[in-house]
């Protein structure tokens, strides 16, 4: 979901692969620089706090979108306590520990 957020802001143009690799790290650092944060490339609490300002509830108590600099995207939804991200054309379950939802 972080890659989707960075993409909506115009910082990330790679594939959504659920890998916090070098391209995601560089995009995160660029976002941090633009918002006067420590540009360590990590999506820690300070970075996520700024990112939170770009999130908007779509009014149905389920879907959350991102007001991006280049696009409005519906980034995730919560159904029965499970989070899903709109990844590669489908709603896929989100996880901190597995990239299985990206396939």
């Amino acid at each position: 979901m972080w890659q989707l957020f960075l993409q909506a802001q115009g910082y990330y143009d790679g594939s959504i692969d659920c890998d916090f690799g070098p391209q995601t790290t560089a995009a995160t650092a660029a976002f941090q620089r633009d918002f006067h944060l420590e540009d360590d490339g990590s999506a820690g609490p300070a970075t996520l706090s700024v990112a939170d300002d770009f999130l908007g509830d779509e009014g149905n108590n389920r879907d959350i979108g991102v007001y991006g600099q280049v696009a409005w995207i519906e980034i995730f939804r919560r159904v029965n306590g499970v989070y899903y991200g709109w990844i590669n054309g489908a709603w896929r379950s989100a996880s901190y520990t597995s990239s299985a939802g990206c396939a």
Side-chain angles (χ1 to χ4, degrees):
M1 286 189 262
W2 183 243
Q3 288 175 327
L4 290 170
F5 174 83
L6 291 170
Q7 188 178 63
Q9 299 304 324
Y11 292 97
Y12 182 78
D13 63 359
S15 64
I16 305 301
D17 60 7
C18 299
D19 180 26
F20 208 110
Q23 194 172 4
T24 305
T25 300
T28 302
F31 174 81
Q32 291 167 324
R33 280 190 297 279
D34 284 352
F35 288 91
H36 310 289
L37 300 167
E38 179 184 356
D39 62 345
D40 61 3
S42 173
T47 301
L48 295 178
S49 177
V50 170
D52 186 56
D53 293 340
F54 293 91
L55 300 180
D57 183 341
E58 293 195 0
N60 60 11
N61 294 320
R62 181 190 68 194
D63 298 336
I64 303 294
V66 174
Y67 298 98
Q69 295 182 52
V70 297
W72 159 262
I73 62 169
E74 190 172 43
I75 192 168
F76 64 89
R77 65 175 35 163
R78 185 177 145 192
V79 179
N80 298 324
V82 177
Y83 286 88
Y84 297 87
W86 183 255
I87 300 171
N88 299 327
W91 286 108
R92 303 185 190 274
S93 61
S95 172
Y96 287 108
T97 58
S98 170
S99 64
C102 268

